[in-house]
Amino acid sequence: MNKIKLPAAALLLLLSVGAAPLTASAPLSASAASSEKVVATTVNVKTSVTKVNTIDVKMTFDGVKLVPPSGQMVFIYNNSTYVPLRFMSYALQKTVAWDAKNLKVTVNEPNSSELVGIKEYLMNVTNTQNAFISKSVSLSDVKAKFVFNGSTKTLPAGQSSYILNGSLYVPLRFLSESTGNGIKWDQKTKTITASSKSYLEQLDKEGDTAGTVGQTSSPTTSPSPSAGSGAASKVSYEDITSATEAKLNSLKSQSQSTLFNTAVEYLAAQDDTSKANIIAKGKQQLASFTASFNSIVADAEQQLKANGYSTDIISQYRSAFESEIQNGLNAVAGMAD
């Protein structure tokens, strides 16, 4: 096969070796750095571009107003409302796994550790919406496969999934029917309202009173022990490391998806200016994910110290992360020879 241009190869290889937070218990295989293997993952991604206009949408999940992360939005195409799959799934407290090789998305109910990472994500999502300005955006069509709670789901005829700014978008109704959650769309007010399974169960138990809803609607995590906490509030070593690795795995999945999609955008770019902009965006994404990794492990280190535990595992997290990054850089250097 022909040799890939180095900038695209760099992004693809950094993705393949996990240029994203790693955990000591789940390192990525260095063999994934094969350029042929990575390029094969782009087979089902179309290079054609569709242009749409974004729309101003309000979102309420479990009684709380949420705004998607920067760069994510909602748009209507062929009379279907499209939403960012990962953000919507997390808001419904579900896990999302992206298989880049097979272009497959798996959405499941989270275990206790994964739920901690999801709630951490939701706590960092803003509920303040800036002044909306509609803009025209370009979408890349991707033939993704979907599995929800163990069942394979297929998009209705005439609909597709799209990549925009490194995020995968699907029709709102498809997501609602596939997850089994009632996701309501008010066309008149442009409002999306949805509730997670745990939230609905909580409302049933507490009688759905207005005061109770107001108190329980915000996602929470177990409080971190302070220096003056008593023995009863001490968090176990396993709880701290399990929660940390759940966050790292969640961030790893997000970074893999984002960097892969950025590489696809590069391969579809038609001019040098666009390619340069995409490479710059990829570097910013990588820097952002690295910063998030550092923040997560720093928080874990603080909790371990506060509870009197060894912090040796922190160096394992960092060592695994740095080792895989270096493997990726070495592979890129080898392609340049």
Side-chain angles (χ1 to χ4, degrees):
M1 60 177 292
N2 294 330
K3 201 173 193 179
I4 313 172
K5 291 184 178 179
L6 185 58
L11 278 176
L12 288 165
L13 285 168
L14 284 174
L15 162 69
S16 68
V17 299
L22 304 176
T23 69
S25 60
L28 294 181
S29 170
S31 64
S34 164
S35 61
E36 288 81 6
K37 183 175 182 179
V38 176
V39 171
T41 65
T42 68
V43 171
N44 292 325
V45 179
K46 294 182 179 179
T47 57
S48 59
V49 173
T50 301
K51 286 189 174 293
V52 298
N53 291 320
T54 60
I55 58 175
D56 187 10
V57 171
K58 299 178 180 62
M59 298 184 180
T60 300
F61 295 89
D62 292 355
V64 178
K65 292 182 180 179
L66 295 179
V67 177
S70 176
Q72 296 187 22
M73 53 208 72
V74 177
F75 58 87
I76 293 178
Y77 181 62
N78 284 345
N79 297 318
S80 293
T81 302
Y82 283 77
V83 293
L85 174 66
R86 184 176 295 279
F87 168 74
M88 293 287 293
S89 297
Y90 282 176
L92 293 171
Q93 297 187 22
K94 296 182 182 295
T95 63
V96 182
W98 170 248
D99 180 347
K101 178 180 178 180
N102 298 304
L103 297 180
K104 183 174 73 174
V105 179
T106 303
V107 178
N108 280 315
E109 297 296 330
N111 59 36
S112 57
S113 296
E114 291 168 335
L115 186 57
V116 171
I118 290 173
K119 288 186 175 182
E120 179 78 13
Y121 170 90
L122 294 176
M123 288 182 69
N124 292 326
V125 174
T126 178
N127 59 6
T128 303
Q129 194 157 9
N130 297 323
F132 176 79
I133 300 177
S134 179
K135 59 182 179 180
S136 177
V137 294
S138 298
L139 312 172
S140 297
D141 189 357
V142 55
K143 293 181 178 179
K145 303 171 185 176
F146 300 91
V147 178
F148 290 84
N149 296 321
S151 299
T152 300
K153 302 292 182 179
T154 304
L155 285 162
Q159 295 184 348
S160 184
S161 50
Y162 297 95
I163 289 176
L164 172 62
N165 294 335
S167 296
L168 186 67
Y169 287 73
V170 297
L172 179 63
R173 177 173 294 182
F174 168 74
L175 181 62
S176 174
E177 294 175 349
S178 298
T179 60
N181 288 77
I183 306 177
K184 300 178 181 178
W185 166 246
D186 188 325
Q187 175 65 29
K188 183 177 181 180
T189 62
K190 299 294 189 296
T191 301
I192 293 174
T193 306
S195 300
S196 66
K197 179 181 178 181
S198 60
Y199 179 74
L200 293 176
E201 291 175 347
Q202 187 177 51
L203 290 183
D204 288 340
K205 291 180 180 179
E206 300 183 4
D208 195 13
T209 61
T212 302
V213 172
Q215 293 174 7
T216 60
S217 58
S218 297
T220 59
T221 57
S222 300
S224 298
S226 61
S229 298
S233 63
K234 184 173 181 178
V235 183
S236 73
Y237 179 86
E238 290 73 18
D239 284 345
I240 295 173
T241 54
S242 293
T244 298
E245 292 181 9
K247 296 175 188 177
L248 292 175
N249 282 326
S250 176
L251 191 55
K252 182 175 92 172
S253 177
Q254 179 186 5
S255 62
Q256 285 178 324
S257 174
T258 299
L259 290 173
F260 169 74
N261 293 332
T262 300
V264 170
E265 287 184 45
Y266 180 90
L267 294 175
Q270 301 297 317
D271 58 87
D272 291 340
T273 299
S274 296
K275 292 179 180 179
N277 290 337
I278 294 170
I279 290 297
K281 181 175 72 172
K283 291 180 179 179
Q284 292 175 349
Q285 291 168 340
L286 187 58
S288 175
F289 292 134
T290 300
S292 295
F293 168 81
N294 289 331
S295 176
I296 291 172
V297 295
D299 180 63
E301 185 173 23
Q302 186 276 328
Q303 290 189 56
L304 290 170
K305 288 180 178 178
N307 286 276
Y309 300 125
S310 167
T311 59
D312 289 349
I313 196 169
I314 298 300
S315 62
Q316 294 181 44
Y317 291 149
R318 293 189 182 280
S319 177
F321 175 69
E322 293 168 0
S323 175
E324 295 295 348
I325 290 292
Q326 189 57 53
N327 287 341
L329 296 176
N330 291 341
V332 174
M335 290 186 67
D337 293 339

